[in-house]
Amino acid sequence: MNKECPIANLTKQHKISLRELSRLSDVRHVALSELSNGKRENMNFSHIVRIADALNIEDIREIIDLVEDNQEE
């Protein structure tokens, strides 16, 4: 199942482009594009905070899906 990325949803909801989100959040456009296109699955926490601040989001679950890592070392 191909679930749409939260970043893609956010840009639609806030009616802004990835480039504008990049400018507002000071997160590289390439990183946002890779997240939006499913080429990247993880994100630096500081980027999440900057995106949340740029879009006035209080609950980071609007930006990311928290998943448990069950890998054993």
Side-chain angles (χ1 to χ4, degrees):
M1 181 163 73
N2 190 4
K3 190 171 112 177
E4 190 168 13
C5 170
I7 296 295
N9 287 332
L10 286 172
T11 56
K12 285 180 186 176
Q13 287 173 359
H14 291 270
K15 297 181 173 117
I16 62 172
S17 66
L18 283 177
R19 193 158 303 283
E20 181 67 5
L21 180 56
S22 173
R23 187 187 70 75
L24 292 171
S25 64
D26 196 28
V27 175
R28 289 181 319 120
H29 179 264
V30 171
L32 293 173
S33 180
E34 288 174 348
L35 285 164
S36 183
N37 294 323
K39 293 180 180 177
R40 179 186 288 202
E41 293 183 0
N42 55 25
M43 178 186 273
N44 185 307
F45 188 74
S46 68
H47 291 177
I48 296 166
V49 171
R50 288 188 286 200
I51 291 168
D53 286 345
L55 298 177
N56 296 315
I57 293 172
E58 293 182 13
D59 186 349
I60 65 168
R61 291 175 293 181
E62 289 184 46
I63 300 171
I64 60 169
D65 292 325
L66 300 175
V67 294
E68 187 174 330
D69 184 3
N70 290 325
Q71 292 180 350
E72 291 184 28
E73 293 185 31

